[in-house]
Amino acid sequence: MRTARARRPLTSLLTALAAACLAVTAAPAAQAAPTGAEAAGKYIALGDSYAVAPGTRTYDDPNDACRRGPLSYPRLWAAQHTSYSFVEASCSGATAAEVKSRQVPQLTADATLVTVQAGGNDVGFVSVLQNCILTLDDKDCVAGVDAAKAAATGVLPGTLADTYTAIKGAAPGARVVVVGYPRLYKIGGSCGILGLSDTERSALNSAADVLNTVLAQQAANAGFTFLDPRPAFDPHTICSGNTTWVTSLEWDKLNESYHPNQAGHRDGYLPALNAITG
């Protein structure tokens, strides 16, 4: 048993987390010029909250549940490659199954590049985080992480395979990049004993590792490219002592907690995507 941390009332926190992190909508896609014959290619972004703006604190419309904004890595890539037309189908809260049902229909046969980042919501990662934040005992956090990892290895592969097959069918000529998730914490780093314990931090990191392993394998099975963000992000995780690229827990901004911040999108994901696409 470790020292208890100050905690918000359980009911209000769960309500806020559910409303902020699990909202899923089918908002219209954002599209940028050029289009048609003027475009050298067409880029379509699919995914969940990691592919949009939570953590950047800059939104097109703060009231839009999809939480899109100009500082996400898909938007930044599109801004750098102005000869491409761009469709943003990603939406905060999306599962891989919802990417298939709500976002894949926005793909077109003339797409030349597709990014897809989904899977974290399928294994209940938001619930895992909330459990680790609220529980007083490390073993409860670890048990929740273990359940998420079991879902990642047991159920998620089939869901991803179905989603990736649908992507391939809708955009058969596109290069598809499956985007992974960063680890959150530096173990034994500069955070000391405040907040989560190193046992909990290690468990959360292990969940990211298992999720990435599943994503990489299913990407390979589909003939897609896997973008692993961990090498770039690891020196910039929470407790690293360096400039952080992911947001930590903020009680007044629960829907932005544990997401890539502006630097994470700009200096982490964007260069990694450019290294693949050129």
Side-chain angles (χ1 to χ4, degrees), residues 31-36 39-44 78 81-87 110:
Q31 186 161 343
T35 60
K42 187 174 186 180
Y43 169 33
I44 303 177
H81 298 77
T82 56
S83 63
Y84 279 68
S85 62
F86 174 58
V87 175
D110 61 340

Side-chain angles (χ1 to χ4, degrees), residues 168-181:
K168 188 180 296 185
R175 181 171 195 177
V176 181
V177 179
V178 174
V179 182
Y181 297 84

Side-chain angles (χ1 to χ4, degrees), residues 96-189:
E98 287 163 345
V99 167
K100 177 185 176 183
S101 63
R102 302 184 182 194
Q103 298 180 22
V104 168
Q106 298 182 55
L107 293 176
T108 52
D110 61 340
T112 54
L113 174 64
V114 175
T115 56
V116 54
Q117 186 170 21
N121 290 318
D122 295 76
V123 301
F125 202 60
V126 171
S127 298
V128 169
L129 283 167
Q130 102 185 359
N131 180 57
C132 290
I133 292 165
L134 293 170
T135 185
L136 293 175
D137 197 322
D138 288 351
K139 68 180 182 181
D140 294 329
C141 171
V142 172
V145 171
D146 287 343
K149 291 193 289 189
T153 57
V155 178
L156 185 58
T159 304
L160 291 175
D162 288 345
T163 300
Y164 295 169
T165 297
I167 292 171
K168 188 180 296 185
R175 181 171 195 177
V176 181
V177 179
V178 174
V179 182
Y181 297 84
R183 300 182 184 101
L184 295 175
Y185 287 100
K186 166 70 175 178
I187 307 305

Side-chain angles (χ1 to χ4, degrees), residues 258-269:
Y258 298 115
H259 283 82
N261 58 22
Q262 293 184 22
H265 283 277
R266 181 190 66 237
D267 302 327
Y269 276 118

